[in-house]
Amino acid sequence: MASAAKKAKFSSFKAKSDEQINEIASQAAAIEFPWDKVSPVYFTDWLDVFSKAYGTSKQLVFMSILPTVSSLLGLSKLKATTTYQENLSLFSLCISPPSGGKNQCFAFGCKAPIAKVEKNGASCILDKFTEVGLRQHLIQNNGVALTINEEMEDTMRQINTDREGGTLCRLFDGDSIYINSGINSARVAIEKTSVSVSGFMQVR
């Protein structure tokens, strides 16, 4: 009886949780994106045609392009004021409906543009990572990394389970990190970093 009561309580909690998530997603979807403030009309019009041709939305394509551009700019800085420069690391998460076009967004907004500028077979893209793997990746790519995944749920769960959040918070600010090679205990320093994290999830 106790086990049945627990199952019923869990089912009720899950139903309420799912209802709240769907409500939040619906409210977010109703918010109009201020295109006139973020891009010129010719680009918005082109993006609209392009996204419809591939069965997705311009909002999702745009949110695939942004972290890609951020990573390609690498260690550049955005001059916010005459005395302050902001690191270009960008963390974003897009929630889309099933069959919203996540794969197309990843393919044409991120993977294809990155492939055009990759050199010597190296890529700044990571779909999954461990802290050690991310640090090694940063050494090999001059401090630049782009973690993007069209199915971000597993990656988010991994970040939470492996407690990688602290490392990502440091990298968001472009902090330097230090790595001991483990072979001869040599310390490798990465003085500047630029890490963007982005991906897509669907409401369940």
Side-chain angles (χ1 to χ4, degrees):
M1 292 294 292
S3 178
K6 286 183 179 179
K7 288 183 178 179
K9 186 175 181 179
F10 175 77
S11 296
S12 176
F13 171 79
K14 187 176 185 305
K16 290 181 180 178
S17 177
D18 290 345
E19 183 180 341
Q20 289 175 340
I21 291 173
N22 289 329
E23 182 181 352
I24 292 172
S26 297
Q27 292 175 354
I31 299 174
E32 291 290 334
F33 200 84
W35 289 107
D36 59 325
K37 296 181 180 179
V38 299
S39 72
V41 175
Y42 73 86
F43 177 74
T44 303
D45 291 344
W46 173 86
L47 194 60
D48 190 42
V49 174
F50 180 85
S51 59
K52 287 178 179 176
Y54 288 101
T56 183
S57 69
K58 61 184 177 183
Q59 290 87 346
L60 290 181
V61 175
F62 189 60
M63 292 308 297
S64 179
I65 292 173
L66 279 183
T68 302
V69 171
S70 178
S71 67
L72 291 176
L73 288 171
L75 301 177
S76 304
K77 297 282 187 177
L78 177 65
K79 190 172 182 180
T81 68
T82 55
T83 58
Y84 176 72
Q85 292 182 327
E86 181 67 39
N87 183 54
L88 290 177
S89 295
L90 175 66
F91 289 11
S92 66
L93 178 64
C94 297
I95 300 176
S96 69
S99 303
K102 302 186 297 295
N103 292 339
Q104 299 94 301
C105 291
F106 173 71
F108 298 111
C110 173
K111 191 175 181 180
I114 290 289
K116 290 293 185 181
V117 296
E118 287 174 350
K119 297 179 180 178
N120 302 320
S123 177
C124 66
I125 298 179
L126 287 170
D127 57 352
K128 293 183 179 179
F129 66 92
T130 61
E131 183 172 1
V132 173
L134 177 58
R135 289 171 182 262
Q136 291 298 328
H137 180 88
L138 290 171
I139 290 176
Q140 297 168 4
N141 290 274
N142 300 316
V144 178
L146 170 60
T147 295
I148 185 167
N149 197 327
E150 62 267 49
E151 299 293 345
M152 196 65 172
E153 184 173 352
D154 288 342
T155 303
M156 294 294 291
R157 186 178 292 109
Q158 173 214 334
I159 291 171
N160 182 57
T161 302
D162 296 342
R163 299 182 179 180
E164 309 287 7
T167 298
L168 290 177
C169 286
R170 288 181 57 200
L171 294 174
F172 182 77
D173 287 331
D175 285 358
S176 57
I177 60 174
Y178 301 91
I179 302 169
N180 291 326
S181 65
I183 299 174
N184 53 12
S185 298
R187 199 180 195 197
V188 179
I190 304 175
E191 296 296 338
K192 296 179 181 180
T193 59
S194 178
V195 177
S196 292
V197 180
S198 183
F200 302 88
M201 292 177 64
Q202 69 181 39
V203 179
R204 299 204 178 267

